[in-house]
Amino acid sequence: MTASLQTTQPQAIVSRSFIEDSLPATADFNEIALISPSVSMNGGVNGTGLSESKAQIRGFQDAEYNITYDGVPFGDTNDPSHHSNTFFPSNTIETLVVERGPGNASNLGIATFGGSLNLFSRATREDASAELKAGYGTWNTWIARAVLQSGAIDKLGGTEIMLSGQHTESDGARSYSPFHSNNVFGKIMIPISPDVKLTVLGTYNENRFNQPDKDGVTASQRDLYGKNFSLNNDPTSQSYFGYNYTHKTTDFEIVKLEANIAPGSTLTNSAYTYSYDNETVSGNDVTLYATATPAQLTAANANLVFLDPAHPKVSTTGVPGYTKTNKYRVWGDIVKARIQVADFLTVTAGGWLEHADTYRQQRDVDLVTLAPNYIEKAVTNPVTGAATPANIKFDQNSKTDHVEVFGEAELHPLPGLTITPGFKHVEFTRKIDAAYNQTTRFAQNISNTYRADLPFATINYAVNERLAVYGQFAKGFLAPPLSVLYVANPQLSSLSPQKSTNYQAGFVYHGSRLSLDADVYYIDFTNKFTSFTSPVPGEGVVFVNSGKAVYKGVEGQATYAFGNGLAIFANASRNYAETNNDNTPHLQLANAPYWTAAGGLLYKQGPIRFSLIDKYTGPQSATGDGNPSYRIPGYNTAILGASYSFGKFRVGVQVDDLFNSTNLTNIAAGKTAQFDQLYYQPGRSVMGDITVTF
């Protein structure tokens, strides 16, 4: 782990060699980022990369920070959350940079708020090569990967092509939870001229897995079946694996043009598109089987379905569940021009345009036959009087349009000193055109536009060639999610974007053997979204800005290289993420660890590669309300990796969760404690692999 001497905010850079040598081949991008200071993670309960995980940065949750791929921000369109194993498995990532802050004005994203995970695509190479990898391990997990490099093709002006394919299968750590994944990736770098380069990349990913939408385990299920219970093989149960399955497909394409337009001046344009399609079938409530006898279940309608819309009170035996669709296509373009005006002044300006179309639906069915199940409450359109079919929870189209324009000036008033003030204007529009809107369940056509003006100022001073200090002031913003438009009277809600004011300062030192950096930060968070039910009859739910929080802490990381292939590293953070409301106690926010720590040793000499790393996540609260029943103790994850090369072959082994920790990592609170969903570490897994390089 290290930071750049030119950084203006805290960061950690994770290299490809660390990904290859120290992490399981199935790792997702959250697992790669986890080793960084102030980064924690929950989820991944089916095994590393075999189910979705969520990362936190300084206590900011997924959807409160950006994730980018080659500079392109991406995320869901109903809120900027992410799917860790859906777009970019580890074979598509060359480097990952964790930035803990909003960055400069030129840092783009819908959530320039809590930081960024910046993924960079696999690099093309000047030399031709081929690499084949096969691995097998715990839970009948196996992976096959191929990476092909064309090298510089003289007949095509030095064009370089990189292709990769990967297939993963596993029975999974949890009961009846198999996982299957396919990924293909391609990248072409075309040197059009000495000053112009065109890069085209694309990746396609497919995941199939068995998992309920409520994917934790209740306390009763844990006591009966163990921490890794998820699904069963009983076709009369909502937890039957044959009734709980998901098929996800994604693609992501970027066309990037980079040109040197004058000495010290560049122009970059990235046009992109990506899509996500989630098709799910799930039991209505798999937690019911945790606490009830068969007689109680029948009394609670858990095994009853209503198949006749003309007689909605007439039931028959069945298994209630639902189908779900969430799919979107995003189009965008990012342009940045960097102009050197004088030796002491460089100006960067540009903009970002993005449009997204989304379709989401959910319908109740009898899981045995997939026939409509008419169980929803009766709803009529308040304008037309039309009745909503009782099997439809929602059927909704939505659109988003996002515009950002920015400018910043990089000033060099003194040798080694860089001062960069900047400004960004953001406009974000959400539109819903729903035949049956979510929650209200009647037709609605709604739109709202959110705006923010964000100032930035950063400073970096190179004290000498090995030591730099930096500071940052920045405003961050987070647009409201689509769910604020799931109300009967949206005109009654008055929402502004959530905003943060960030102050940070730190230093970076790179010696001949020692790399060291540390920082302190203070972030004031305002305009938190909350909702209430209006006391006025007919007004329903209203969203308002009410609530504040403060994030503050200290972070540091160090690496020492002994010079014989051996290096040791350590990092730690003390993080406060507390409510800051008037007349209320200062409580640590939900899923915000009080501290994190990591350490390990790395050895890479001749044919031997060895690493042992451990990440400790400190105690946290699952609910953020101070309830001791939802306090989660600290836990750690240790990973051992070792490999040996001989000739064209390399054999290796990775042991994830070396000490077989199966501790609690998260709690999703239910209506009552008996329905709480508990999430545990899946336990130790071992994978051996062999790599052949040509």
Side-chain angles (χ1 to χ4, degrees):
M1 302 301 107
T2 187
S4 167
L5 286 167
Q6 287 75 46
T7 190
T8 55
Q9 63 182 359
Q11 67 173 197
I13 303 169
V14 186
S15 69
R16 181 66 203 174
S17 63
F18 184 87
I19 297 170
E20 287 277 4
D21 299 342
S22 302
L23 297 177
T26 57
D28 60 25
F29 53 70
N30 288 332
E31 182 86 6
I32 297 170
L34 180 62
I35 200 64
S36 307
S38 291
V39 176
S40 56
M41 187 183 80
N42 55 47
V45 292
N46 201 36
T48 298
L50 306 179
S51 61
E52 200 166 291
S53 64
K54 296 291 184 182
Q56 299 80 39
I57 303 176
R58 293 175 168 174
F60 286 102
Q61 306 301 302
D62 186 35
E64 294 179 335
Y65 57 81
N66 289 321
I67 301 184
T68 69
Y69 190 70
D70 280 2
V72 173
F74 70 95
D76 272 359
T77 53
N78 56 326
D79 64 36
S81 58
H82 306 89
H83 304 281
S84 62
N85 63 354
T86 302
F87 278 99
F88 304 112
S90 64
N91 66 298
T92 68
I93 300 170
E94 186 78 19
T95 307
L96 187 149
V97 181
V98 181
E99 293 187 324
R100 303 187 296 275
N104 293 326
S106 56
N107 281 38
L108 302 174
I110 189 176
T112 53
F113 198 67
S116 296
L117 299 184
N118 301 308
L119 319 179
F120 294 92
S121 64
R122 291 293 298 269
T124 61
R125 309 291 186 194
E126 291 185 0
D127 297 324
S129 65
E131 180 182 281
L132 305 177
K133 177 189 287 285
Y136 181 81
T138 306
W139 309 310
N140 197 28
T141 302
W142 66 276
I143 188 169
R145 177 188 298 172
V147 179
L148 307 176
Q149 294 277 4
S150 71
I153 304 173
D154 293 337
K155 292 182 179 180
L156 297 177
T159 294
E160 299 170 4
I161 302 173
M162 184 267 191
L163 300 173
S164 174
Q166 179 172 292
H167 176 77
T168 306
E169 285 193 22
S170 177
D171 292 341
R174 310 191 72 197
S175 61
Y176 293 94
S177 299
F179 175 82
H180 306 264
S181 178
N182 294 295
N183 176 267
V184 292
F185 172 87
K187 184 175 182 179
I188 304 174
M189 189 282 292
I190 306 170
I192 296 174
S193 75
D195 291 314
V196 181
K197 179 174 69 173
L198 180 68
T199 303
V200 180
L201 70 82
T203 182
Y204 172 84
N205 202 81
E206 178 193 34
N207 290 349
R208 294 179 183 268
F209 53 91
N210 293 79
Q211 174 185 296
D213 261 6
K214 292 186 177 181
D215 60 339
V217 59
T218 67
S220 296
Q221 289 171 330
R222 176 201 61 203
D223 294 342
L224 286 171
Y225 309 115
K227 294 178 179 178
N228 282 335
F229 174 78
S230 178
L231 298 171
N232 62 30
N233 63 346
D234 177 6
T236 67
S237 161
Q238 291 185 45
S239 297
Y240 177 50
F241 74 93
Y243 298 152
N244 294 270
Y245 52 89
T246 297
H247 182 212
K248 289 186 180 183
T249 56
T250 65
D251 65 81
F252 205 108
E253 294 81 32
I254 304 175
V255 179
K256 184 176 184 179
L257 181 69
E258 301 167 273
N260 298 317
I261 55 178
S265 300
T266 60
L267 175 67
T268 303
N269 191 91
S270 296
Y272 65 90
T273 183
Y274 63 91
S275 75
Y276 172 86
D277 188 352
N278 174 355
E279 305 292 341
T280 290
V281 176
S282 177
N284 244 6
D285 190 350
V286 295
T287 64
L288 289 172
Y289 280 78
T291 57
T293 66
Q296 290 170 328
L297 286 171
T298 300
N301 291 338
N303 277 328
L304 297 179
V305 292
F306 300 81
L307 305 180
D308 187 353
H311 301 88
K313 295 184 179 181
V314 177
S315 64
T316 186
T317 301
V319 182
Y322 57 85
T323 65
K324 181 178 74 174
T325 298
N326 178 17
K327 60 182 179 182
Y328 53 78
R329 167 67 67 180
V330 179
W331 303 87
D333 190 84
I334 298 171
V335 60
K336 295 183 180 182
R338 178 179 169 87
I339 308 298
Q340 184 173 347
V341 179
D343 290 342
F344 64 89
L345 173 62
T346 301
V347 174
T348 300
W352 177 28
L353 297 174
E354 185 177 86
H355 174 81
D357 294 298
T358 304
Y359 173 69
R360 302 172 68 244
Q361 70 84 26
Q362 195 165 315
R363 283 168 164 77
D364 296 293
V365 297
D366 173 13
L367 292 171
V368 179
T369 63
L370 295 182
N373 181 20
Y374 299 96
I375 60 171
E376 300 294 330
K377 292 180 179 179
V379 169
T380 57
N381 188 306
V383 177
T384 67
T388 299
N391 67 309
I392 297 179
K393 292 186 176 182
F394 57 87
D395 192 299
Q396 174 198 89
N397 289 288
S398 65
K399 300 178 184 294
T400 60
D401 289 289
H402 190 179
V403 179
E404 293 189 12
V405 292
F406 64 87
E408 59 190 34
E410 185 179 297
L411 303 167
H412 302 278
L414 298 171
L417 178 62
T418 303
I419 302 173
T420 310
F423 177 82
K424 177 161 55 185
H425 175 74
V426 180
E427 293 199 10
F428 188 83
T429 300
R430 290 194 181 279
K431 298 179 182 179
I432 285 180
D433 182 11
Y436 308 100
N437 199 13
Q438 190 164 345
T439 305
T440 66
R441 295 185 53 239
F442 55 77
Q444 288 183 283
N445 195 315
I446 312 168
S447 67
N448 210 341
T449 298
Y450 310 96
R451 298 178 176 87
D453 293 313
L454 307 174
F456 298 78
T458 63
I459 184 172
N460 179 288
Y461 178 60
V463 179
N464 54 48
E465 63 181 10
R466 293 185 173 181
L467 175 65
V469 296
Y470 62 85
Q472 179 188 56
F473 161 80
K475 292 280 190 178
F477 115 106
L478 177 64
L482 191 65
S483 58
V484 303
L485 301 181
Y486 301 166
V487 293
N489 295 286
Q491 72 279 4
L492 299 178
S493 299
S494 55
L495 281 181
S496 298
Q498 294 184 128
K499 291 185 178 180
S500 65
T501 304
N502 298 255
Y503 305 92
Q504 307 190 88
F507 73 89
V508 180
Y509 173 78
H510 286 183
S512 59
R513 296 188 183 276
L514 176 66
S515 293
L516 179 68
D517 64 86
D519 67 273
V520 294
Y521 66 92
Y522 181 92
I523 304 170
D524 188 25
F525 167 23
T526 59
N527 289 355
K528 188 174 179 63
F529 308 141
T530 59
S531 65
F532 66 93
T533 300
S534 172
V536 179
E539 288 191 350
V541 175
V542 177
F543 281 88
V544 295
N545 294 111
S546 177
K548 298 180 289 184
V550 167
Y551 297 75
K552 58 185 178 181
V554 58
E555 306 160 319
Q557 56 188 359
T559 301
Y560 187 85
F562 289 91
N564 59 353
L566 177 66
I568 59 173
F569 77 91
N571 63 58
S573 66
R574 180 66 170 95
N575 308 106
Y576 299 87
E578 300 175 336
T579 57
N580 191 33
N581 301 317
D582 298 334
N583 303 318
T584 60
H586 289 202
L587 299 172
Q588 189 81 347
L589 298 173
N591 300 120
Y594 287 95
W595 59 285
T596 71
L601 60 88
L602 311 170
Y603 181 79
K604 190 172 183 177
Q605 183 83 347
I608 301 174
R609 302 179 187 182
F610 177 85
S611 69
L612 177 61
I613 60 177
D614 196 4
K615 177 63 180 271
Y616 182 83
T617 300
Q620 57 190 294
S621 168
T623 54
D625 58 4
N627 186 338
S629 298
Y630 291 91
R631 185 180 185 274
I632 300 172
Y635 56 92
N636 76 304
T637 302
I639 304 175
L640 181 149
S643 66
Y644 185 84
S645 300
F646 53 97
K648 299 179 181 297
F649 298 90
R650 184 173 75 246
V651 294
V653 62
Q654 297 86 37
V655 184
D656 197 11
D657 194 0
L658 177 65
F659 302 114
N660 198 31
S661 172
T662 59
N663 291 325
L664 183 70
T665 63
N666 196 19
I667 306 172
K671 294 179 180 179
T672 61
Q674 65 182 353
F675 296 114
D676 289 346
Q677 296 277 287
L678 310 177
Y679 296 83
Y680 295 92
Q681 295 172 278
R684 182 189 299 118
S685 62
V686 181
M687 175 171 282
D689 61 57
I690 184 168
T691 304
V692 185
T693 303
F694 302 96

